[in-house]
Amino acid sequence: MDLPRPFLRMPFDESMAKYGNDKPDLRFGMEHVVLTDLVKQHQGGGVPLMKEAADQGGIVKAMKVPASASFSAPRSTSSRST
């Protein structure tokens, strides 16, 4: 098996900021997106947990999932029986 050399290296702080993990799986390119300013502009956007985090100086992040991604779980809870 041929492995590319040198191995890709990423500083710990960069890895945690971009991927939230010290051993990120780079095959999918799903970096975290910082939403803190947007959450502040929209007073939490109806999500009290995000508003509280931003108001207390925390960072709100999310992963941007491409629309073409396939999901293994149901896309909505309306199809689930209760």
Side-chain angles (χ1 to χ4, degrees):
M1 176 186 301
D2 290 329
L3 296 176
R5 301 231 186 226
F7 294 119
L8 177 64
R9 300 181 117 191
M10 182 181 302
F12 176 82
D13 291 342
E14 179 183 351
S15 179
M16 293 301 291
K18 287 184 175 182
Y19 301 99
N21 191 316
D22 63 341
K23 297 179 283 289
D25 186 343
L26 303 176
R27 296 175 294 171
F28 306 108
M30 293 176 57
E31 293 184 17
H32 289 178
V33 178
V34 178
L35 301 175
T36 309
D37 289 340
L38 187 63
V39 168
K40 287 179 181 178
Q41 289 172 4
H42 295 279
Q43 291 83 41
V47 183
L49 180 64
M50 290 196 301
K51 180 180 184 330
E52 184 178 325
D55 288 347
Q56 293 179 2
I59 299 170
V60 180
K61 291 184 177 183
M63 280 191 288
K64 181 180 175 184
V65 179
S68 61
S70 61
F71 296 93
S72 60
R75 290 189 181 195
S76 72
T77 57
S78 62
S79 63
R80 295 182 190 168
S81 56
T82 55

